[in-house]
Amino acid sequence: MIVRTTSSLTTEGCAPANNVIDPNETVTVSFCVQNGGTAATTSSLTGTLLNTGGVTGASGPQNYGLMAPGATVCRPFIFTATGACGGTLTATIHFQDGATDLGNAVYTFTLGT
């Protein structure tokens, strides 16, 4: 079971940086997940950021690799935010461990100005 943990905004496309995702801004966000199961994942655990919920132009899939039970791994994704100031952006990452579908991890952000 893959469990959403934290996320952090690492780069912003609009200057000056304000530590908030703004509408129409291209950003890099590091998304972290934890292996909440009792078995390790394979080395092919892949997360794909979906172009939904205000996310557009999402970068390609990221390999989260082999994760032991309880381990946490973070990977960066680049995307452009759409929506209105003060609105909600919902970033959804779909996980596959080889042929096994592990579902989605969902992160929400309030868009800035």
Side-chain angles (χ1 to χ4, degrees):
M1 167 177 38
I2 298 300
V3 179
R4 173 186 66 86
T5 59
T6 62
S7 63
S8 60
L9 179 60
T10 57
T11 61
E12 299 180 60
C14 296
N18 62 357
N19 296 316
V20 176
I21 300 172
D22 296 314
N24 302 312
E25 181 176 43
T26 299
V27 296
T28 303
V29 176
S30 180
F31 293 101
C32 303
V33 293
Q34 181 179 52
N35 180 350
T38 58
T41 64
T42 70
S43 61
S44 62
L45 177 65
T46 302
T48 303
L49 179 62
L50 305 178
N51 286 303
T52 61
V55 171
T56 60
S59 58
Q62 290 282 349
N63 186 341
Y64 281 73
L66 178 67
M67 291 178 66
T72 299
V73 176
C74 305
R75 292 290 182 257
F77 289 88
I78 300 168
F79 63 92
T80 300
T82 61
C85 295
T88 300
L89 180 138
T90 303
T92 302
I93 301 176
H94 182 76
F95 285 93
Q96 287 281 138
D97 189 19
T100 305
D101 185 335
L102 297 179
N104 297 327
V106 179
Y107 303 77
T108 58
F109 304 90
T110 300
L111 294 173
T113 53

